Amino acid sequence: MSQDNTKLRERNGGQILVEQLRIQGVRRVFLVPGESYLPCIDALYDHQDAITPIVCRQESGAGYMAEAHGKLTGAPGVCFVTRGPGATNASIAVHTAFQDSTPMILFVGQVGNDFYEREAFQEIDYRRMFGQMAKWVAQIDRTDRIPEFIARAFAVATSGRPGPVVLALPEDTLWGKATVADMPRYVRSHAAPAPHALASLAAMLEQAERPFLMIGGSGWTPEAMRQMEGFAERFGLPVGLAWRRLECFDNHHPNYAGHVGWGMGEALRARIRESDLLIAVGTRMGEATTEGYTVVESPLPRQRLVHVYPDPEELGRVFRAEVPVVADVVSFAAAVDGLRPAREHNRAALVERARRDYLDSQKALPAPGPLNLNQAACVVRERLPEDACITVGAGNYAVFPHTYYRYKGVGTSLAPTVGSMGYGLPAAISAKLEHPERTVVCYAGDGCFQMNLQELGVAMQYRLGIVVLVFNNGIWGTIRAHQEREFPGRTIALGFENPEFAELARAYRGYGEVVASDAEFGPALDRALDFASTHSMPALLELRYDPDGIAPGMTLSGIRAAALARQAAG
């Protein structure tokens, strides 16, 4: 809806702000109510036909939901929180959005300008607080400038490298009144590759014998993915996906070679190291993807590198690329859609071997105890529809879906590249709100789940049939693995007692069941999926397994034994 600016009317700041959100195409806002932005809450009452407020239980959950919405749609996820404690709780989602390059806008209530700089109740300087974790942080001190700031926020959040914007809202700005024109809806800008860069890429492709295409980042569309598939097919390129960007290329495609980063197989690691041309599209190639800057070395990679990224400041900052290309993924995919090989390449064997190695890695490995998580992950892969969405937080349990599930495309994976815990459940809620017809399954460790389990109340309230798999081993597993590697046999401060998760799910009017063996898992998953679909309420399976089986092909006892052997030899 846009306003006829020839008939301007006086509005308070909250009314002006919410009307701008409607103009910018916002359909859903995530919030924990606070008196510091009460005029905005009141203004939502008049826009219920267009904007749905999702009332969350804690600000980190609300922020994660907004961040996940940005990943799913490519449009900024919008979150409202109150000042002080609300903002600090939400900061984890802002950090996630920054490192994950996700468009997001966080609105934070603020003390009035008449109280500012007195350390008033819950006062924080948000420019200083969020300065290094957001693309832009500002405070709207004048009611009549709200449309200007909102339009700029949407432009900044989506341009170049997408990311979060934080806007502080002083109370006097929201309660104040102004007669001001609305701003038009933002138009997302795109950076396209220069002709000389495409020519250089084409020449390098002709020369390469062992090229590799690495895809990641944000902003992918189904059309861009199809164009990249065609590019990989024409030039005979094995394709890997950057750390936790599993949805950016169809895992069923014959050119797909696997997930690049922590936990990848040795064959894929060697393939990237030995490639003579690495084409990195949309990915920063951060620490996780490059395994500590070893698979792709910084600052000077051993591979010839073509690095495609929408932010020119990122190119050359960590890796010196032979051909740096300033372009977003959509524009680059459209550009290479027109490239054709000058001659026929004999890379079929290269692609087939990479695919065969990937499929070999999909076979369930053995694990200690009656419940094998490798086998369970394969059951999930077999039972879910291709358009299902898998969400995870952080922890070794997440390596199981990363290793065994085959993601189809945009919207089938939500995972924080920043490695933040507590993400999986809020992300699953956001996914189900956006795509109610799709199956949504959340993988959550017992520690990770308890960081935001209160958001089950959101799933209950809005009748969201998500399925949650809680991996209960009673330890902080990832840190325990590091502890055994560095200080073998000196385990301390990493175990905890858990509640009855299945009973907790029932308290939220959902379905809960405990699974402790391979034979139980498949039927239990079917029951959970059926309940979630039939009743439109959350279903939870608590998976009790031997904590020694810490990750695919890895045990804590094996990590300890290897560390002790190193100590004895050293």
Side-chain angles (χ1 to χ4, degrees), residues 238-313:
V239 179
L241 289 172
W243 169 251
R244 294 194 157 193
R245 294 299 193 182
L246 295 147
E247 74 283 3
C248 297
F249 192 90
D250 186 354
N251 296 185
H252 303 81
H253 193 278
N255 287 60
Y256 180 64
H259 182 214
V260 181
W262 290 327
M264 66 176 155
E266 182 53 44
L268 180 56
R269 182 180 296 110
R271 179 163 289 106
I272 298 169
R273 280 179 171 164
E274 295 166 6
S275 66
D276 57 359
L277 173 60
L278 178 61
I279 307 167
V281 180
T283 173
R284 293 175 50 247
M285 295 186 293
E287 177 188 354
T289 298
T290 61
E291 292 190 329
Y293 309 104
T294 59
V295 177
V296 184
E297 296 176 359
S298 173
L300 188 62
R302 65 168 64 89
Q303 309 93 336
R304 300 183 76 184
L305 175 62
V306 175
H307 194 182
V308 181
Y309 203 73
D311 183 356
E313 293 186 4

Side-chain angles (χ1 to χ4, degrees), residues 494-546:
L494 294 180
F496 48 82
E497 292 188 16
N498 282 320
E500 296 289 336
F501 291 111
E503 291 185 16
L504 185 64
R506 290 190 284 271
Y508 281 96
R509 304 177 196 163
Y511 178 82
E513 184 175 350
V514 174
V515 177
S517 70
D518 291 341
E520 296 171 357
F521 181 73
L525 179 62
D526 288 341
R527 287 189 289 271
L529 291 168
D530 181 68
F531 178 90
S533 175
T534 302
H535 297 277
S536 297
M537 293 291 275
L540 183 151
L541 299 182
E542 177 186 338
L543 309 184
R544 296 179 180 174
Y545 64 102
D546 189 333

Side-chain angles (χ1 to χ4, degrees), residues 245-566:
R245 294 299 193 182
L246 295 147
E247 74 283 3
C248 297
F249 192 90
D250 186 354
N251 296 185
H252 303 81
H253 193 278
N255 287 60
Y256 180 64
H259 182 214
V260 181
W262 290 327
M264 66 176 155
E266 182 53 44
L268 180 56
R269 182 180 296 110
R271 179 163 289 106
I272 298 169
R273 280 179 171 164
E274 295 166 6
S275 66
D276 57 359
L277 173 60
L278 178 61
I279 307 167
V281 180
T283 173
R284 293 175 50 247
M285 295 186 293
E287 177 188 354
T289 298
T290 61
E291 292 190 329
Y293 309 104
T294 59
V295 177
V296 184
E297 296 176 359
S298 173
L300 188 62
R302 65 168 64 89
Q303 309 93 336
R304 300 183 76 184
L305 175 62
V306 175
H307 194 182
V308 181
Y309 203 73
D311 183 356
E313 293 186 4
E314 185 66 32
L315 295 171
R317 186 166 73 92
V318 181
F319 301 97
R320 192 270 181 187
E322 188 170 333
V323 179
V325 183
V326 181
D328 59 58
V329 296
V330 170
S331 297
F332 181 78
V336 297
D337 195 40
L339 283 185
R340 297 293 184 274
R343 59 183 176 84
E344 188 162 335
H345 295 283
N346 186 24
R347 295 179 186 144
L350 180 74
V351 172
E352 290 169 4
R353 177 61 186 273
R355 181 66 178 177
R356 187 163 59 250
D357 288 342
Y358 167 69
L359 293 177
D360 286 344
S361 74
Q362 296 265 287
K363 298 172 184 177
L365 295 168
L371 178 58
N372 182 342
L373 297 187
N374 302 274
Q375 184 61 42
C378 292
V379 171
V380 172
R381 183 182 68 209
E382 294 160 3
R383 303 286 175 97
L384 297 192
E386 284 190 344
D387 67 349
C389 180
I390 302 290
T391 72
V392 303
N396 273 26
Y397 70 88
V399 181
F400 291 95
H402 290 349
T403 299
Y404 293 106
Y405 196 76
R406 295 173 193 164
Y407 300 84
K408 184 65 177 176
V410 175
T412 59
S413 172
L414 288 172
T417 68
V418 72
S420 51
M421 301 184 75
Y423 181 87
L425 177 59
I429 289 169
S430 195
K432 195 66 175 177
L433 285 165
E434 185 64 20
H435 298 293
E437 76 287 356
R438 290 189 182 181
T439 299
V440 178
V441 176
C442 166
Y443 274 67
D446 46 0
C448 187
F449 179 64
Q450 291 183 83
M451 291 192 176
N452 267 319
L453 66 82
Q454 73 282 344
E455 303 306 329
L456 278 175
V458 179
M460 175 185 70
Q461 179 175 345
Y462 295 93
R463 302 298 187 265
L464 303 176
I466 61 174
V467 174
V468 182
L469 306 180
V470 177
F471 293 77
N472 183 356
N473 62 3
I475 58 173
W476 296 106
T478 300
I479 311 308
R480 172 69 183 275
H482 287 299
Q483 191 178 63
E484 292 289 7
R485 186 176 294 110
E486 304 299 333
F487 304 101
R490 294 176 57 82
T491 304
I492 188 171
L494 294 180
F496 48 82
E497 292 188 16
N498 282 320
E500 296 289 336
F501 291 111
E503 291 185 16
L504 185 64
R506 290 190 284 271
Y508 281 96
R509 304 177 196 163
Y511 178 82
E513 184 175 350
V514 174
V515 177
S517 70
D518 291 341
E520 296 171 357
F521 181 73
L525 179 62
D526 288 341
R527 287 189 289 271
L529 291 168
D530 181 68
F531 178 90
S533 175
T534 302
H535 297 277
S536 297
M537 293 291 275
L540 183 151
L541 299 182
E542 177 186 338
L543 309 184
R544 296 179 180 174
Y545 64 102
D546 189 333
D548 193 38
I550 193 65
M554 186 181 300
T555 61
L556 290 174
S557 57
I559 294 172
R560 175 185 291 186
L564 290 172
R566 286 196 304 271

Side-chain angles (χ1 to χ4, degrees), residues 98 125-137 166:
F98 188 79
D125 183 339
Y126 298 112
R127 293 184 183 91
R128 293 170 61 194
M129 174 181 169
F130 288 105
Q132 286 190 306
M133 67 172 84
K135 288 188 70 177
W136 180 44
V137 186
V166 179

Side-chain angles (χ1 to χ4, degrees), residues 20-41:
Q20 305 316 299
L21 296 184
R22 182 168 184 159
I23 291 169
Q24 299 301 335
V26 173
R27 296 177 286 107
R28 188 177 300 121
V29 297
F30 303 91
L31 64 119
V32 175
E35 75 279 6
S36 63
Y37 66 95
L38 196 57
C40 296
I41 299 174

